[in-house]
mmCIF file of all heavy atoms in Angstrom:
data_model
loop_
_atom_site.group_PDB
_atom_site.id
_atom_site.type_symbol
_atom_site.label_atom_id
_atom_site.label_comp_id
_atom_site.label_asym_id
_atom_site.label_seq_id
_atom_site.Cartn_x
_atom_site.Cartn_y
_atom_site.Cartn_z
ATOM 1 N N GLN A 506 98.648 101.645 41.734
ATOM 2 C CA GLN A 506 99.738 100.720 41.427
ATOM 3 C C GLN A 506 100.280 100.925 40.017
ATOM 4 O O GLN A 506 101.479 100.796 39.763
ATOM 5 C CB GLN A 506 99.248 99.282 41.600
ATOM 6 C CG GLN A 506 98.962 98.904 43.053
ATOM 7 C CD GLN A 506 98.351 97.524 43.188
ATOM 8 O OE1 GLN A 506 98.289 96.762 42.228
ATOM 9 N NE2 GLN A 506 97.906 97.185 44.393
ATOM 10 N N LYS A 507 99.398 101.252 39.090
ATOM 11 C CA LYS A 507 99.810 101.487 37.690
ATOM 12 C C LYS A 507 100.340 102.898 37.477
ATOM 13 O O LYS A 507 100.727 103.268 36.370
ATOM 14 C CB LYS A 507 98.628 101.242 36.762
ATOM 15 C CG LYS A 507 98.173 99.796 36.720
ATOM 16 C CD LYS A 507 96.972 99.648 35.808
ATOM 17 C CE LYS A 507 96.483 98.207 35.768
ATOM 18 N NZ LYS A 507 95.294 98.058 34.881
ATOM 19 N N LYS A 508 100.304 103.710 38.533
ATOM 20 C CA LYS A 508 100.746 105.100 38.477
ATOM 21 C C LYS A 508 99.972 105.897 37.431
ATOM 22 O O LYS A 508 100.545 106.701 36.676
ATOM 23 C CB LYS A 508 102.248 105.167 38.211
ATOM 24 C CG LYS A 508 103.067 104.562 39.341
ATOM 25 C CD LYS A 508 104.557 104.733 39.111
ATOM 26 C CE LYS A 508 105.352 104.144 40.271
ATOM 27 N NZ LYS A 508 106.819 104.306 40.081
ATOM 28 N N ASP A 509 98.682 105.654 37.399
ATOM 29 C CA ASP A 509 97.796 106.392 36.502
ATOM 30 C C ASP A 509 97.811 107.863 36.912
ATOM 31 O O ASP A 509 97.681 108.187 38.097
ATOM 32 C CB ASP A 509 96.374 105.834 36.631
ATOM 33 C CG ASP A 509 95.421 106.408 35.582
ATOM 34 O OD1 ASP A 509 95.439 107.637 35.376
ATOM 35 O OD2 ASP A 509 94.654 105.632 35.005
ATOM 36 N N PRO A 510 97.983 108.796 35.964
ATOM 37 C CA PRO A 510 98.013 110.237 36.292
ATOM 38 C C PRO A 510 96.772 110.696 37.064
ATOM 39 O O PRO A 510 96.851 111.625 37.871
ATOM 40 C CB PRO A 510 98.083 110.898 34.908
ATOM 41 C CG PRO A 510 98.744 109.884 34.044
ATOM 42 C CD PRO A 510 98.228 108.557 34.523
ATOM 43 N N LYS A 511 95.633 110.048 36.814
ATOM 44 C CA LYS A 511 94.402 110.423 37.516
ATOM 45 C C LYS A 511 94.449 110.049 38.994
ATOM 46 O O LYS A 511 93.635 110.529 39.780
ATOM 47 C CB LYS A 511 93.189 109.776 36.854
ATOM 48 C CG LYS A 511 92.909 110.295 35.448
ATOM 49 C CD LYS A 511 91.669 109.648 34.869
ATOM 50 C CE LYS A 511 91.371 110.187 33.483
ATOM 51 N NZ LYS A 511 90.162 109.556 32.889
ATOM 52 N N ALA A 512 95.388 109.179 39.363
ATOM 53 C CA ALA A 512 95.514 108.755 40.763
ATOM 54 C C ALA A 512 96.749 109.370 41.411
ATOM 55 O O ALA A 512 97.223 108.894 42.445
ATOM 56 C CB ALA A 512 95.585 107.231 40.840
ATOM 57 N N ALA A 513 97.262 110.444 40.822
ATOM 58 C CA ALA A 513 98.453 111.101 41.352
ATOM 59 C C ALA A 513 98.177 111.729 42.717
ATOM 60 O O ALA A 513 97.035 112.052 43.054
ATOM 61 C CB ALA A 513 98.919 112.173 40.365
ATOM 62 N N THR A 514 99.213 111.879 43.517
ATOM 63 C CA THR A 514 99.085 112.465 44.856
ATOM 64 C C THR A 514 100.050 113.634 45.005
ATOM 65 O O THR A 514 100.983 113.805 44.217
ATOM 66 C CB THR A 514 99.388 111.429 45.949
ATOM 67 O OG1 THR A 514 100.746 110.970 45.806
ATOM 68 C CG2 THR A 514 98.445 110.229 45.843
ATOM 69 N N TYR A 515 99.810 114.435 46.042
ATOM 70 C CA TYR A 515 100.738 115.514 46.383
ATOM 71 C C TYR A 515 100.896 115.546 47.899
ATOM 72 O O TYR A 515 100.028 115.094 48.641
ATOM 73 C CB TYR A 515 100.225 116.865 45.864
ATOM 74 C CG TYR A 515 99.023 117.405 46.617
ATOM 75 C CD1 TYR A 515 99.178 118.351 47.631
ATOM 76 C CD2 TYR A 515 97.733 116.952 46.321
ATOM 77 C CE1 TYR A 515 98.087 118.844 48.319
ATOM 78 C CE2 TYR A 515 96.636 117.442 47.008
ATOM 79 C CZ TYR A 515 96.816 118.377 48.006
ATOM 80 O OH TYR A 515 95.738 118.861 48.694
ATOM 81 N N LYS A 516 102.011 116.040 48.360
ATOM 82 C CA LYS A 516 102.333 116.024 49.795
ATOM 83 C C LYS A 516 101.828 117.297 50.468
ATOM 84 O O LYS A 516 102.035 118.398 49.989
ATOM 85 C CB LYS A 516 103.837 115.910 49.968
ATOM 86 C CG LYS A 516 104.285 115.731 51.415
ATOM 87 C CD LYS A 516 104.045 114.316 51.902
ATOM 88 C CE LYS A 516 105.001 113.339 51.244
ATOM 89 N NZ LYS A 516 104.847 111.949 51.808
ATOM 90 N N ARG A 517 101.131 117.114 51.602
ATOM 91 C CA ARG A 517 100.687 118.244 52.412
ATOM 92 C C ARG A 517 100.606 117.798 53.851
ATOM 93 O O ARG A 517 99.978 116.792 54.172
ATOM 94 C CB ARG A 517 99.311 118.746 51.956
ATOM 95 C CG ARG A 517 98.920 120.086 52.603
ATOM 96 C CD ARG A 517 97.535 120.498 52.152
ATOM 97 N NE ARG A 517 96.503 119.800 52.919
ATOM 98 C CZ ARG A 517 95.238 119.659 52.538
ATOM 99 N NH1 ARG A 517 94.847 120.135 51.362
ATOM 100 N NH2 ARG A 517 94.371 119.042 53.292
ATOM 101 N N ASP A 518 101.267 118.539 54.741
ATOM 102 C CA ASP A 518 101.286 118.202 56.170
ATOM 103 C C ASP A 518 101.717 116.758 56.394
ATOM 104 O O ASP A 518 101.123 116.014 57.194
ATOM 105 C CB ASP A 518 99.904 118.431 56.791
ATOM 106 C CG ASP A 518 99.458 119.867 56.706
ATOM 107 O OD1 ASP A 518 100.326 120.750 56.750
ATOM 108 O OD2 ASP A 518 98.240 120.107 56.586
ATOM 109 N N LYS A 519 102.725 116.335 55.639
ATOM 110 C CA LYS A 519 103.308 114.995 55.755
ATOM 111 C C LYS A 519 102.344 113.877 55.353
ATOM 112 O O LYS A 519 102.543 112.715 55.698
ATOM 113 C CB LYS A 519 103.818 114.752 57.183
ATOM 114 C CG LYS A 519 104.922 115.713 57.613
ATOM 115 C CD LYS A 519 105.418 115.402 59.007
ATOM 116 C CE LYS A 519 106.530 116.350 59.414
ATOM 117 N NZ LYS A 519 107.042 116.060 60.791
ATOM 118 N N LYS A 520 101.268 114.240 54.630
ATOM 119 C CA LYS A 520 100.323 113.237 54.140
ATOM 120 C C LYS A 520 100.215 113.347 52.621
ATOM 121 O O LYS A 520 100.402 114.417 52.046
ATOM 122 C CB LYS A 520 98.940 113.442 54.763
ATOM 123 C CG LYS A 520 98.873 113.122 56.252
ATOM 124 C CD LYS A 520 97.437 113.274 56.752
ATOM 125 C CE LYS A 520 97.335 112.929 58.229
ATOM 126 N NZ LYS A 520 95.920 113.061 58.713
ATOM 127 N N ASP A 521 99.886 112.227 51.990
ATOM 128 C CA ASP A 521 99.719 112.208 50.535
ATOM 129 C C ASP A 521 98.248 112.359 50.186
ATOM 130 O O ASP A 521 97.446 111.450 50.437
ATOM 131 C CB ASP A 521 100.249 110.892 49.961
ATOM 132 C CG ASP A 521 101.761 110.784 50.077
ATOM 133 O OD1 ASP A 521 102.431 111.823 49.893
ATOM 134 O OD2 ASP A 521 102.276 109.686 50.366
ATOM 135 N N TYR A 522 97.905 113.500 49.599
ATOM 136 C CA TYR A 522 96.527 113.760 49.188
ATOM 137 C C TYR A 522 96.389 113.535 47.682
ATOM 138 O O TYR A 522 97.345 113.680 46.926
ATOM 139 C CB TYR A 522 96.132 115.198 49.523
ATOM 140 C CG TYR A 522 95.902 115.426 51.004
ATOM 141 C CD1 TYR A 522 96.964 115.739 51.843
ATOM 142 C CD2 TYR A 522 94.630 115.318 51.561
ATOM 143 C CE1 TYR A 522 96.761 115.936 53.203
ATOM 144 C CE2 TYR A 522 94.416 115.515 52.913
ATOM 145 C CZ TYR A 522 95.483 115.825 53.730
ATOM 146 O OH TYR A 522 95.276 116.006 55.070
ATOM 147 N N MET A 523 95.164 113.171 47.267
ATOM 148 C CA MET A 523 94.903 112.920 45.856
ATOM 149 C C MET A 523 94.801 114.243 45.083
ATOM 150 O O MET A 523 94.129 115.173 45.528
ATOM 151 C CB MET A 523 93.596 112.138 45.691
ATOM 152 C CG MET A 523 93.508 110.871 46.530
ATOM 153 S SD MET A 523 94.795 109.653 46.145
ATOM 154 C CE MET A 523 94.414 109.238 44.453
ATOM 155 N N VAL A 524 95.471 114.333 43.946
ATOM 156 C CA VAL A 524 95.430 115.542 43.135
ATOM 157 C C VAL A 524 94.008 115.806 42.627
ATOM 158 O O VAL A 524 93.541 116.951 42.614
ATOM 159 C CB VAL A 524 96.402 115.427 41.940
ATOM 160 C CG1 VAL A 524 96.219 116.607 40.981
ATOM 161 C CG2 VAL A 524 97.843 115.363 42.435
ATOM 162 N N GLN A 525 93.315 114.754 42.209
ATOM 163 C CA GLN A 525 91.960 114.911 41.687
ATOM 164 C C GLN A 525 90.946 115.222 42.786
ATOM 165 O O GLN A 525 89.901 115.809 42.528
ATOM 166 C CB GLN A 525 91.534 113.629 40.954
ATOM 167 C CG GLN A 525 92.285 113.351 39.668
ATOM 168 C CD GLN A 525 91.875 114.309 38.547
ATOM 169 O OE1 GLN A 525 90.765 114.824 38.522
ATOM 170 N NE2 GLN A 525 92.791 114.557 37.622
ATOM 171 N N TRP A 526 91.255 114.828 44.036
ATOM 172 C CA TRP A 526 90.356 115.060 45.179
ATOM 173 C C TRP A 526 91.217 115.622 46.310
ATOM 174 O O TRP A 526 91.583 114.903 47.249
ATOM 175 C CB TRP A 526 89.689 113.738 45.593
ATOM 176 C CG TRP A 526 88.957 113.119 44.438
ATOM 177 C CD1 TRP A 526 87.717 113.441 43.998
ATOM 178 C CD2 TRP A 526 89.456 112.108 43.551
ATOM 179 N NE1 TRP A 526 87.394 112.686 42.890
ATOM 180 C CE2 TRP A 526 88.434 111.856 42.592
ATOM 181 C CE3 TRP A 526 90.646 111.376 43.465
ATOM 182 C CZ2 TRP A 526 88.596 110.925 41.577
ATOM 183 C CZ3 TRP A 526 90.805 110.447 42.448
ATOM 184 C CH2 TRP A 526 89.784 110.231 41.512
ATOM 185 N N PRO A 527 91.560 116.912 46.232
ATOM 186 C CA PRO A 527 92.586 117.531 47.070
ATOM 187 C C PRO A 527 92.390 117.426 48.580
ATOM 188 O O PRO A 527 93.355 117.549 49.329
ATOM 189 C CB PRO A 527 92.547 119.003 46.613
ATOM 190 C CG PRO A 527 91.990 118.949 45.232
ATOM 191 C CD PRO A 527 90.993 117.844 45.245
ATOM 192 N N SER A 528 91.170 117.232 49.032
ATOM 193 C CA SER A 528 90.951 117.176 50.485
ATOM 194 C C SER A 528 90.978 115.760 51.033
ATOM 195 O O SER A 528 90.806 115.557 52.239
ATOM 196 C CB SER A 528 89.603 117.819 50.827
ATOM 197 O OG SER A 528 88.537 117.082 50.237
ATOM 198 N N LEU A 529 91.204 114.769 50.174
ATOM 199 C CA LEU A 529 91.139 113.369 50.589
ATOM 200 C C LEU A 529 92.444 112.620 50.322
ATOM 201 O O LEU A 529 93.116 112.847 49.319
ATOM 202 C CB LEU A 529 90.005 112.648 49.844
ATOM 203 C CG LEU A 529 88.587 113.153 50.099
ATOM 204 C CD1 LEU A 529 87.615 112.483 49.138
ATOM 205 C CD2 LEU A 529 88.183 112.892 51.544
ATOM 206 N N THR A 530 92.774 111.716 51.229
ATOM 207 C CA THR A 530 93.913 110.831 51.014
ATOM 208 C C THR A 530 93.410 109.539 50.384
ATOM 209 O O THR A 530 92.208 109.253 50.379
ATOM 210 C CB THR A 530 94.607 110.485 52.343
ATOM 211 O OG1 THR A 530 93.710 109.702 53.154
ATOM 212 C CG2 THR A 530 94.995 111.743 53.106
ATOM 213 N N TYR A 531 94.324 108.742 49.889
ATOM 214 C CA TYR A 531 93.972 107.444 49.301
ATOM 215 C C TYR A 531 93.246 106.575 50.334
ATOM 216 O O TYR A 531 92.202 105.969 50.036
ATOM 217 C CB TYR A 531 95.252 106.750 48.824
ATOM 218 C CG TYR A 531 95.089 105.284 48.518
ATOM 219 C CD1 TYR A 531 94.592 104.864 47.292
ATOM 220 C CD2 TYR A 531 95.444 104.323 49.467
ATOM 221 C CE1 TYR A 531 94.443 103.516 47.010
ATOM 222 C CE2 TYR A 531 95.300 102.972 49.195
ATOM 223 C CZ TYR A 531 94.797 102.569 47.966
ATOM 224 O OH TYR A 531 94.643 101.239 47.706
ATOM 225 N N ASP A 532 93.782 106.508 51.540
ATOM 226 C CA ASP A 532 93.180 105.672 52.590
ATOM 227 C C ASP A 532 91.754 106.114 52.917
ATOM 228 O O ASP A 532 90.877 105.284 53.175
ATOM 229 C CB ASP A 532 94.030 105.710 53.863
ATOM 230 C CG ASP A 532 95.357 104.977 53.686
ATOM 231 O OD1 ASP A 532 95.429 104.107 52.787
ATOM 232 O OD2 ASP A 532 96.298 105.270 54.437
ATOM 233 N N GLN A 533 91.512 107.423 52.939
ATOM 234 C CA GLN A 533 90.172 107.927 53.249
ATOM 235 C C GLN A 533 89.165 107.533 52.170
ATOM 236 O O GLN A 533 88.028 107.158 52.477
ATOM 237 C CB GLN A 533 90.213 109.449 53.407
ATOM 238 C CG GLN A 533 90.919 109.911 54.673
ATOM 239 C CD GLN A 533 91.123 111.413 54.704
ATOM 240 O OE1 GLN A 533 91.216 112.075 53.656
ATOM 241 N NE2 GLN A 533 91.191 111.977 55.904
ATOM 242 N N ILE A 534 89.575 107.620 50.914
ATOM 243 C CA ILE A 534 88.675 107.259 49.813
ATOM 244 C C ILE A 534 88.360 105.767 49.847
ATOM 245 O O ILE A 534 87.205 105.352 49.684
ATOM 246 C CB ILE A 534 89.284 107.649 48.457
ATOM 247 C CG1 ILE A 534 89.376 109.175 48.348
ATOM 248 C CG2 ILE A 534 88.449 107.088 47.307
ATOM 249 C CD1 ILE A 534 90.047 109.670 47.081
ATOM 250 N N ILE A 535 89.360 104.944 50.081
ATOM 251 C CA ILE A 535 89.147 103.495 50.139
ATOM 252 C C ILE A 535 88.224 103.141 51.302
ATOM 253 O O ILE A 535 87.293 102.335 51.160
ATOM 254 C CB ILE A 535 90.491 102.747 50.289
ATOM 255 C CG1 ILE A 535 91.338 102.921 49.024
ATOM 256 C CG2 ILE A 535 90.245 101.268 50.578
ATOM 257 C CD1 ILE A 535 90.715 102.356 47.765
ATOM 258 N N ALA A 536 88.458 103.754 52.468
ATOM 259 C CA ALA A 536 87.635 103.461 53.644
ATOM 260 C C ALA A 536 86.180 103.855 53.400
ATOM 261 O O ALA A 536 85.244 103.135 53.776
ATOM 262 C CB ALA A 536 88.187 104.193 54.864
ATOM 263 N N LEU A 537 85.985 104.993 52.749
ATOM 264 C CA LEU A 537 84.633 105.463 52.470
ATOM 265 C C LEU A 537 83.907 104.527 51.508
ATOM 266 O O LEU A 537 82.740 104.184 51.709
ATOM 267 C CB LEU A 537 84.684 106.874 51.880
ATOM 268 C CG LEU A 537 83.346 107.526 51.530
ATOM 269 C CD1 LEU A 537 82.484 107.669 52.778
ATOM 270 C CD2 LEU A 537 83.580 108.883 50.893
ATOM 271 N N SER A 538 84.605 104.076 50.480
ATOM 272 C CA SER A 538 83.971 103.221 49.478
ATOM 273 C C SER A 538 83.616 101.846 50.027
ATOM 274 O O SER A 538 82.804 101.137 49.438
ATOM 275 C CB SER A 538 84.894 103.065 48.264
ATOM 276 O OG SER A 538 86.074 102.359 48.614
ATOM 277 N N GLN A 539 84.215 101.472 51.163
ATOM 278 C CA GLN A 539 83.968 100.150 51.734
ATOM 279 C C GLN A 539 82.887 100.145 52.817
ATOM 280 O O GLN A 539 82.561 99.086 53.358
ATOM 281 C CB GLN A 539 85.268 99.582 52.314
ATOM 282 C CG GLN A 539 86.304 99.250 51.238
ATOM 283 C CD GLN A 539 87.612 98.760 51.813
ATOM 284 O OE1 GLN A 539 87.883 98.906 53.006
ATOM 285 N NE2 GLN A 539 88.450 98.182 50.963
ATOM 286 N N THR A 540 82.321 101.304 53.123
ATOM 287 C CA THR A 540 81.284 101.335 54.157
ATOM 288 C C THR A 540 80.015 100.663 53.645
ATOM 289 O O THR A 540 79.617 100.818 52.491
ATOM 290 C CB THR A 540 80.944 102.787 54.562
ATOM 291 O OG1 THR A 540 80.517 103.507 53.410
ATOM 292 C CG2 THR A 540 82.156 103.481 55.168
ATOM 293 N N LYS A 541 79.379 99.919 54.518
ATOM 294 C CA LYS A 541 78.172 99.166 54.163
ATOM 295 C C LYS A 541 77.057 100.092 53.697
ATOM 296 O O LYS A 541 76.367 99.822 52.713
ATOM 297 C CB LYS A 541 77.697 98.361 55.367
ATOM 298 C CG LYS A 541 76.413 97.584 55.121
ATOM 299 C CD LYS A 541 75.981 96.850 56.376
ATOM 300 C CE LYS A 541 74.653 96.127 56.137
ATOM 301 N NZ LYS A 541 74.186 95.448 57.349
ATOM 302 N N GLU A 542 76.880 101.223 54.405
ATOM 303 C CA GLU A 542 75.788 102.145 54.081
ATOM 304 C C GLU A 542 75.898 102.664 52.653
ATOM 305 O O GLU A 542 74.906 102.715 51.914
ATOM 306 C CB GLU A 542 75.781 103.324 55.052
ATOM 307 C CG GLU A 542 75.358 102.980 56.477
ATOM 308 C CD GLU A 542 76.478 102.363 57.288
ATOM 309 O OE1 GLU A 542 77.611 102.293 56.768
ATOM 310 O OE2 GLU A 542 76.236 101.939 58.419
ATOM 311 N N LEU A 543 77.100 103.024 52.218
ATOM 312 C CA LEU A 543 77.263 103.580 50.882
ATOM 313 C C LEU A 543 77.133 102.507 49.807
ATOM 314 O O LEU A 543 76.613 102.762 48.726
ATOM 315 C CB LEU A 543 78.610 104.291 50.771
ATOM 316 C CG LEU A 543 78.713 105.599 51.565
ATOM 317 C CD1 LEU A 543 80.086 106.202 51.401
ATOM 318 C CD2 LEU A 543 77.660 106.585 51.099
ATOM 319 N N ARG A 544 77.568 101.296 50.083
ATOM 320 C CA ARG A 544 77.431 100.214 49.105
ATOM 321 C C ARG A 544 75.963 99.893 48.859
ATOM 322 O O ARG A 544 75.575 99.477 47.769
ATOM 323 C CB ARG A 544 78.166 98.954 49.585
ATOM 324 C CG ARG A 544 79.687 99.079 49.573
ATOM 325 C CD ARG A 544 80.343 97.709 49.530
ATOM 326 N NE ARG A 544 79.876 96.848 50.610
ATOM 327 C CZ ARG A 544 80.440 96.770 51.802
ATOM 328 N NH1 ARG A 544 81.473 97.545 52.069
ATOM 329 N NH2 ARG A 544 79.974 95.957 52.721
ATOM 330 N N GLU A 545 75.126 100.100 49.883
ATOM 331 C CA GLU A 545 73.704 99.799 49.739
ATOM 332 C C GLU A 545 73.013 100.736 48.746
ATOM 333 O O GLU A 545 72.033 100.358 48.101
ATOM 334 C CB GLU A 545 73.005 99.893 51.095
ATOM 335 C CG GLU A 545 73.362 98.749 52.042
ATOM 336 C CD GLU A 545 72.693 98.899 53.393
ATOM 337 O OE1 GLU A 545 72.137 99.985 53.647
ATOM 338 O OE2 GLU A 545 72.723 97.947 54.179
ATOM 339 N N TYR A 546 73.514 101.954 48.604
ATOM 340 C CA TYR A 546 72.876 102.910 47.705
ATOM 341 C C TYR A 546 73.060 102.515 46.235
ATOM 342 O O TYR A 546 72.160 102.701 45.426
ATOM 343 C CB TYR A 546 73.407 104.322 47.953
ATOM 344 C CG TYR A 546 72.959 104.897 49.264
ATOM 345 C CD1 TYR A 546 73.869 105.249 50.249
ATOM 346 C CD2 TYR A 546 71.606 105.070 49.532
ATOM 347 C CE1 TYR A 546 73.443 105.763 51.459
ATOM 348 C CE2 TYR A 546 71.168 105.587 50.747
ATOM 349 C CZ TYR A 546 72.104 105.929 51.713
ATOM 350 O OH TYR A 546 71.680 106.434 52.906
ATOM 351 N N ASN A 547 74.222 102.004 45.909
ATOM 352 C CA ASN A 547 74.465 101.603 44.518
ATOM 353 C C ASN A 547 74.094 100.130 44.355
ATOM 354 O O ASN A 547 74.906 99.234 44.572
ATOM 355 C CB ASN A 547 75.931 101.817 44.154
ATOM 356 C CG ASN A 547 76.211 101.501 42.688
ATOM 357 O OD1 ASN A 547 75.312 101.079 41.956
ATOM 358 N ND2 ASN A 547 77.444 101.699 42.259
ATOM 359 N N ASP A 548 72.840 99.893 43.976
ATOM 360 C CA ASP A 548 72.387 98.521 43.791
ATOM 361 C C ASP A 548 72.416 98.116 42.323
ATOM 362 O O ASP A 548 71.872 97.083 41.930
ATOM 363 C CB ASP A 548 70.967 98.340 44.350
ATOM 364 C CG ASP A 548 69.998 99.386 43.810
ATOM 365 O OD1 ASP A 548 70.374 100.107 42.857
ATOM 366 O OD2 ASP A 548 68.884 99.491 44.341
ATOM 367 N N SER A 549 73.088 98.940 41.501
ATOM 368 C CA SER A 549 73.152 98.645 40.068
ATOM 369 C C SER A 549 74.322 97.731 39.732
ATOM 370 O O SER A 549 74.298 97.005 38.749
ATOM 371 C CB SER A 549 73.288 99.944 39.266
ATOM 372 O OG SER A 549 74.580 100.508 39.449
ATOM 373 N N GLY A 550 75.362 97.795 40.553
ATOM 374 C CA GLY A 550 76.556 97.008 40.273
ATOM 375 C C GLY A 550 77.491 97.670 39.286
ATOM 376 O O GLY A 550 78.511 97.092 38.891
ATOM 377 N N TYR A 551 77.161 98.895 38.857
ATOM 378 C CA TYR A 551 77.978 99.583 37.858
ATOM 379 C C TYR A 551 78.441 100.951 38.387
ATOM 380 O O TYR A 551 77.831 101.524 39.290
ATOM 381 C CB TYR A 551 77.183 99.802 36.565
ATOM 382 C CG TYR A 551 76.704 98.524 35.922
ATOM 383 C CD1 TYR A 551 75.405 98.068 36.127
ATOM 384 C CD2 TYR A 551 77.563 97.773 35.113
ATOM 385 C CE1 TYR A 551 74.962 96.881 35.540
ATOM 386 C CE2 TYR A 551 77.132 96.595 34.524
ATOM 387 C CZ TYR A 551 75.830 96.146 34.737
ATOM 388 O OH TYR A 551 75.401 94.976 34.161
ATOM 389 N N ILE A 552 79.522 101.433 37.801
ATOM 390 C CA ILE A 552 79.994 102.786 38.072
ATOM 391 C C ILE A 552 80.321 103.441 36.738
ATOM 392 O O ILE A 552 80.615 102.734 35.762
ATOM 393 C CB ILE A 552 81.208 102.805 39.008
ATOM 394 C CG1 ILE A 552 82.383 102.057 38.361
ATOM 395 C CG2 ILE A 552 80.885 102.253 40.357
ATOM 396 C CD1 ILE A 552 83.679 102.269 39.091
#
C-alpha cells in the first residue's frame, strides 16, 4: 500500500510477481504466511 520499493512487482504471464521473490505473487505469500502450520513454528512473536 505504501509502494515500498522492496514490495515492487513485475508482470509475467498476466500475473504480478514480487521483484524480491520472483517466483511468488503477493497473494501466494500472504496465503502461505497465514497457514496454521507455519505460524506454529514461530513461537517467538518476532520477525
Side-chain angles (χ1 to χ4, degrees):
Q506 291 174 9
K507 294 178 181 180
K508 296 184 179 180
D509 188 314
K511 293 182 179 179
T514 61
Y515 71 98
K516 186 76 71 175
R517 191 182 81 199
D518 298 328
K519 298 182 179 180
K520 291 184 179 181
D521 291 322
Y522 286 86
M523 308 299 296
V524 172
Q525 292 288 333
W526 304 278
S528 63
L529 297 171
T530 66
Y531 165 83
D532 290 337
Q533 289 172 333
I534 293 176
I535 293 298
L537 180 61
S538 66
Q539 292 177 345
T540 58
K541 178 182 177 182
E542 290 80 5
L543 290 179
R544 290 202 306 270
E545 288 178 349
Y546 290 118
N547 184 358
D548 52 11
S549 71
Y551 300 98
I552 62 169

